[in-house]
Amino acid sequence: MSSVNTNDSVLIVGSVALDSVETPSGKVERALGGAAVYSSVAASFFSPVRIVGVVGEDFPKEHLEFLASRRIDTRGVQIAPGSTFHWKGTYEGDMNQAQTLATELNVFQDFKPELPQDYRSSKYVFLANIDPQLQLQVLDQVDGAELVGCDTMNFWIESKHDELLEVLKRVDVMFLNDAEVRQLTGTVNLTRAADQIRKLGPKYVIVKKGEHGALMYCDGSTCFSAASYPLDEVADPTGAGDSFAGGFMGYVARTGEVTESSLRKAVIYGSTLASYNVQDFSLERFKKLTIKDIDERYEEFKRMVFFEEMG
Ligand code: AMP
């Protein structure tokens, strides 16, 4: 990686979860998961991270220790009486779309984010998937952010639509998968739908299309189209979108550059992190991942799309 290291942190709020997941490759019960966890670990390969969330008393201590071992500041994670957020999902056939079997918000229902003083001046903020009202409460406590990214999902688009529109007004980069883009806008054509979303606030809209890659929209037309890394086996797609966004935000914070050229590279680093994450369940692949692995796959991405004019 040849970029300048700014040492700026990324502030990340979102679900910290215990996930029960079943895929054709196997299953896990109450394994470490959550949008804020996947995105924080992905971002931490590039930049320090400050995480904000809540867990219950049942949350294994070793999970917090793991996060802290990855230059993730966990002072923003409250431990509350009750059970940790629990998500149960399955993937059958279409590995791009999880079937949600249960969403138990538990301690997130009464959560009031209270940011440690030094978190409030974070220049890079990622509102990972969680109740848009909580995303707003975090934004209200932050002063002078240079880039705010945001993710959400069908659950919140349906149940907290108006609050989500308020969040969108204050976001620079919106990450959504293709189904969410269509659900949010009611428009099938992704280019038109992305343009509609840009009119709601975000300057950049990134549409994640699972195994078909990602599109970054800037000015009403596609400004960057990235392939996804071809894998011969996807063990567990959970957290792919969060890893993508975390890798993207972490890379931007590392370079301190919000230009189209650096955002293009951030998309490829995001795709790289997502492609590694899906090779195992929970955070298992990230636990073994090295910067060298990331750089090697980034170079493979470059080779994959290179072509020459016929001479
Ligand atoms: P992804 O596969 O990247 O879309 O995100 C998967 C993660 O989202 C899982 O680890 C879940 O714990 C988390 N998740 C599922 N449903 C919700 C929800 N309604 N709000 C916040 N996080 C959720």
Side-chain angles (χ1 to χ4, degrees):
M1 237 178 294
S2 57
S3 53
V4 179
N5 193 346
T6 64
N7 238 356
D8 278 323
S9 297
V10 188
L11 171 68
I12 297 183
V13 60
S15 54
V16 179
L18 294 176
D19 286 344
S20 300
V21 178
E22 184 161 3
T23 79
S25 303
K27 62 192 237 180
V28 288
E29 288 287 331
R30 294 187 181 272
L32 176 61
V37 171
Y38 282 109
S39 48
S40 293
V41 177
S44 74
F45 284 100
F46 305 108
S47 306
V49 173
R50 298 159 168 166
I51 185 172
V52 176
V54 62
V55 296
E57 286 154 335
D58 58 343
F59 194 70
K61 261 205 200 72
E62 62 262 28
H63 293 338
L64 285 176
E65 286 163 8
F66 162 62
L67 296 178
S69 74
R70 295 300 177 114
R71 51 177 194 166
I72 299 173
D73 184 337
T74 57
R75 284 173 300 141
V77 179
Q78 296 174 21
I79 302 174
S83 306
T84 301
F85 177 100
H86 176 230
W87 178 74
K88 187 169 180 184
T90 176
Y91 299 82
E92 286 163 15
D94 182 1
M95 297 292 274
N96 290 328
Q97 192 60 44
Q99 304 300 317
T100 292
L101 303 176
T103 302
E104 296 157 17
L105 294 175
N106 298 331
V107 288
F108 263 102
Q109 284 186 91
D110 300 315
F111 177 50
K112 300 259 176 306
E114 188 60 45
L115 269 52
Q117 203 54 43
D118 52 326
Y119 278 36
R120 296 174 188 233
S121 54
S122 301
K123 284 200 208 156
Y124 301 94
V125 178
F126 179 53
L127 309 169
N129 186 19
I130 197 58
D131 186 335
Q133 259 165 335
L134 294 176
Q135 294 178 322
L136 283 172
Q137 286 172 25
V138 166
L139 270 188
D140 284 345
Q141 295 175 52
V142 173
D143 197 21
E146 279 179 19
L147 193 79
V148 178
C150 180
D151 192 7
T152 192
M153 75 181 292
N154 50 9
F155 187 87
W156 303 114
I157 297 174
E158 204 180 304
S159 63
K160 295 281 176 91
H161 191 263
D162 293 349
E163 293 84 346
L164 184 59
L165 294 186
E166 284 307 306
V167 177
L168 279 168
K169 288 182 191 160
R170 299 167 66 180
V171 159
D172 302 299
V173 187
M174 188 67 199
F175 299 88
L176 292 162
N177 69 32
D178 40 5
E180 291 157 356
V181 167
R182 292 181 174 122
Q183 185 190 3
L184 181 61
T185 59
T187 300
V188 176
N189 179 285
L190 287 180
T191 304
R192 281 216 303 277
D195 199 36
Q196 276 174 261
I197 296 172
R198 290 184 64 251
K199 291 192 173 112
L200 298 172
K203 185 162 183 216
Y204 303 96
V205 173
I206 298 184
V207 184
K208 300 164 289 177
K209 300 191 297 162
E211 63 185 312
H212 303 298
L215 290 164
M216 178 166 65
Y217 291 92
C218 306
D219 301 305
S221 57
T222 307
C223 81
F224 188 50
S225 170
S228 76
Y229 187 78
L231 293 166
D232 57 10
E233 198 200 342
V234 171
D236 174 14
T238 310
D242 311 314
S243 306
F244 178 97
F248 179 100
M249 292 297 298
Y251 178 74
V252 175
R254 180 193 165 97
T255 61
E257 239 184 83
V258 185
T259 59
E260 192 183 315
S261 150
S262 81
L263 297 189
R264 281 173 176 241
K265 285 185 232 161
V267 167
I268 301 299
Y269 277 115
S271 305
T272 301
L273 269 295
S275 73
Y276 275 119
N277 172 61
V278 302
Q279 290 187 295
D280 206 340
F281 283 81
S282 183
L283 276 292
E284 292 311 311
R285 187 64 186 90
F286 277 175
K287 287 183 180 170
K288 292 176 283 196
L289 191 66
T290 64
I291 294 287
K292 186 166 168 281
D293 296 330
I294 295 173
D295 283 342
E296 275 170 15
R297 193 164 285 182
Y298 179 87
E299 290 304 321
E300 281 182 64
F301 262 103
K302 276 210 269 191
R303 278 196 294 277
M304 221 168 62
V305 295
F306 177 78
F307 65 94
E308 274 178 299
E309 297 296 331
M310 300 243 273

